[in-house]
Amino acid sequence: MKHLLHNPAYKMACDQFDATAEFLNIPETMRERVKAPKRMVTVSLPVRLDSGEVKVFEGHRVQHHLTLGPTKGGLRYHQSVELGEVAALAMWMSWKCALADLPYGGAKGGVTIDPRQHSIGELERVTRRYTSEMIPFIGPQTDVMAPDMGTNEQTMAWMMDTYSHQIGHAVPSIVTGKPVSIGGSLGRKEATGRGVAFLANRAVDMLKLPNDSRVIVQGFGNVGSYAAAGMAKFGARVIGVSDVSGGIFNAKGLDLQALQDHVALNRSIKGFPEGDYISNEELLIQPCEVLIPAAMDRVITAENASKIQCRILAEGANGPTTIEADAILKQRPEIFVIPDILCNSGGVIVSYFEWVQDLQSFFWAETEIFDKLYRILGHTLDKVLKQARKHNIDHRTAALSIGIQKVVDGKTIRGLFP
Ligand code: NAD
């Protein structure tokens, strides 16, 4: 898939794969088979805007591999979405699911749209048209979507409704991350952020850092806001957060409930009075114990990797650290990296629980969900640390190597058709 390599996220995902394949000694003939996306679908979505004008949006879905079960992955609405980025995110989902032992291949979807510039009605029409164009390629045993940047429970409800109309009966298992009232799982909305906080707090304990450690979070959407709240629950002090409008900093600790209320009212942290304005770039390099990037990919770069001043880098976002930054972090062993495919896997783990509950029409209590989630996350963290110690490698290579090896083993034992 050389034509996708112009996209920096796809190039980064391929470089990570190539380095890990080298470490694992994967046979050359197997490498391309494991790396290349299985299916890529691009559709154009003509949608009537509120003004009466018709605008054509571009939508994608990439299914990375089908070896271990249906594909699974989020749907992103962002103005910078393009096929290469979606393919990179699908590949990362594959290693993430395999690392957590979930019976899925990775997938990702995206529509090139700035959701903040559109009304609810327009977003509903985009979502329904996208779902209807994707019907031949998705299904509860084929490919299951979930929210990602710019999409949410409401988006999933529209997708489920559109798909169910086509099939003729309600099919809740077609998406995860939908509202609880239509077959969603308790805890799914909070799962990614709470998982990030759980793992970061485990690292705080392992490094014997103070309970009231200082936390900085970039991105205050679904992942960032629940990660911040989760860290505060563990006793940490959240001193800085940001969103696309910039950051807010208060060394004494931010009142997260007041901030949530402000964001609910203004759809942005801009103007929050109880702290000082700080840019996203400055925020990332402030001294703290835990730094949680939970917005875009490629924000820890060659320029700022030597300047970040945290003890724990907990990657809530997908792909926040570039290859060049990673090389710098390897020279800074004082920083404990919790790599993205482990750190934010709480979301897809509870999505898996949701899918299982929907398929069985049998729903679990919230305590059961979080007990199971934390058990899987704790076990997966231990697995990664053991692999890193055994081979004297960094945490990212350790996590990727476990995930990639599992997919290679699956392909090897299934053989090649025909
Ligand atoms: P979201 O849309 O709910 O929130 C995104 C946040 O990032 C918003 O606060 C937005 O203002 C901010 N942001 C956007 N562009 C920014 C920029 N250039 N600089 C600083 N902040 C910016 O999205 P989300 O679901 O919280 O996803 C965030 C990240 O977590 C993404 O990388 C996503 O792929 C990853 N992720 C999400 C889930 C999930 O369950 N939602 C699961 C795993 C990983």
Side-chain angles (χ1 to χ4, degrees), residues 62-65 70-73 90-91 93-94 97 104-108:
V62 176
Q63 299 167 352
H64 179 247
H65 79 84
T71 46
K72 185 85 194 74
M91 207 193 296
M93 277 304 290
S94 286
C97 292
Y104 293 134
K108 205 77 180 189

Side-chain angles (χ1 to χ4, degrees), residues 76 78 89 93 96 108 116 147-151 188-189 192 218-224 242-246 280 293-297 299 316-319 344-345 347-348:
R76 177 174 287 196
H78 194 272
L89 289 160
M93 277 304 290
K96 189 187 301 182
K108 205 77 180 189
R116 290 167 308 160
D148 189 71
M149 265 184 89
T151 57
R188 171 59 186 92
K189 195 165 60 180
T192 312
Q218 182 190 42
F220 202 65
N222 175 284
V223 179
S242 71
D243 66 12
V244 68
S245 71
N280 263 290
M296 300 294 290
D297 52 60
V299 294
N318 285 308
N344 66 35
S345 63
V348 71

